Amino acid sequence: MTSTDHNGFSTSTGSGDSLNEIRTDIVTLTRFILTEQSARAGTTATGDFTLLLNSLQFAFKFIAHNIRRATLVNLIGLAGASNATGDDQKKLDVIGDEIFINAMRASGKVKVLVSEEQEDIIVFEGDGRYCVVCDPIDGSSNLDAGVSVGTIFGVYKLQEGSTGTIEDVLRAGSEMVAAGYTMYGASANLVLTTGHGVNGFTLDNALGEFILTHPDIRIPKSRSIYSVNEGNTVYWDTATREYFESLKIPPAGGKPYSARYIGSMVADMHRTLLYGGIFAYPADVKSKNGKLRLLYECFPMAFLVEQAGGLATNGKQRILDIVPSQIHARSGIFLGSELEVQKVVEYYNKHESV
Ligand code: AHG
Ligand code: MN
Ligand code: MN
């Protein structure tokens, strides 16, 4: 017996007793991208993006595999070095970076690569037309405790006539053509935008394929959850401090907000996209330009959140309008549900006009 479920997938029930319900027409990531591209026929699709995405998928699967066995094969702990922005590298930061670089080189479709773990841009041989920016392992301080970490990435097209320079990536986030992350949790979850909404895929380990499980993710318009490292309160500016204080004062007959902070941007943003609320890492007197990096943390997440119907700001400016001054440039950031982020902007407006 065959029927169609609410996502439009065909399902088959073997014996008529519904315990045996199995999906037989699943949408893999590759199928999804091919369908999306043909739906936009008339564009100049060459198949290059599909091939790039295949290499990205491979990197995510390979990193997921290493994270899953990390404790057993002595992959936890420090590597004994620090990266371009001064963070101590974990062994998995180094391995994740190597996996990512090799996969992007092998795709033949990437010209310029920026990685959190590399001081300079990498320019590959060949005639790749894409630039990829990445945080190979985000939330690595959480690795040894088995808490969810992720990989964040963004994609630009090489500029017309360019042979691959830093100018190809020192561009506003609004120029990205795709972005996403994979969260390595109970399963590997890939969340992707190509500028036409947001879709979520879950890795089926047996099939080795990312399967569309969360079509057309929309972030709730509001939700009483905030996610921020509140230990930094003493360093915050007045607007930020007043805003977060206001969330703890319940409206008449209502409840104060709930606090949720994992300390892995990918995991905190995954929850924020699905449940709603706000995630923030504000600039403060200790980190004058914030902590999170524009190219491979703020831009991809801002792109996703806007495509899901939310907002992303530094308090004064839309994140995607910022042009980074260098590849590891940072920014303060507030992002999430539209109505929650609007409140922060109101606090910033109020304090600017004083
Ligand atoms: P990374 O592991 O790539 O260096 O990123 C860590 C980031 C981000 O994942 C997280 O939101 C933030 O650092 C947490 O910072 P605090 O420990 O200062 O709260
Ligand atoms: Mn990170
Ligand atoms: Mn990282």
Side-chain angles (χ1 to χ4, degrees), residues 275-349:
Y275 297 179
I278 188 163
F279 169 81
Y281 210 111
D284 60 33
V285 291
K286 190 166 54 90
S287 319
K288 293 224 162 24
N289 296 312
K291 173 177 182 182
L292 300 177
R293 277 60 56 104
L294 274 167
L295 272 181
Y296 42 81
E297 291 175 321
C298 300
F299 284 170
M301 292 300 185
F303 192 6
L304 286 168
V305 104
E306 283 199 6
Q307 284 294 317
L311 293 173
T313 176
N314 64 6
K316 298 172 184 158
Q317 190 182 9
R318 177 185 176 225
I319 290 291
L320 291 178
D321 285 340
I322 301 173
V323 178
S325 54
Q326 44 139 317
I327 59 172
H328 299 296
R330 300 168 192 263
S331 171
I333 189 166
F334 301 84
L335 72 174
S337 296
E338 182 188 337
L339 298 182
E340 307 301 336
V341 177
Q342 272 171 3
K343 281 188 210 161
V344 183
V345 174
E346 282 164 24
Y347 274 88
Y348 268 87
N349 288 342

Side-chain angles (χ1 to χ4, degrees), residues 93 116-117 135 137-138:
D93 282 323
E116 179 196 357
E117 306 304 333
D135 178 353
I137 306 284
D138 172 71

Side-chain angles (χ1 to χ4, degrees), residues 103-151:
M104 294 302 98
R105 179 187 291 112
S107 76
K109 302 299 169 197
V110 178
K111 191 67 192 169
V112 179
L113 179 67
V114 172
S115 164
E116 179 196 357
E117 306 304 333
Q118 299 291 323
E119 190 156 357
D120 297 314
I121 61 167
I122 298 175
V123 180
F124 294 123
E125 305 270 299
D127 54 5
R129 298 187 306 127
Y130 288 101
C131 310
V132 175
V133 295
C134 76
D135 178 353
I137 306 284
D138 172 71
S140 53
S141 69
N142 274 324
L143 270 170
D144 300 357
V147 175
S148 294
V149 297
T151 299

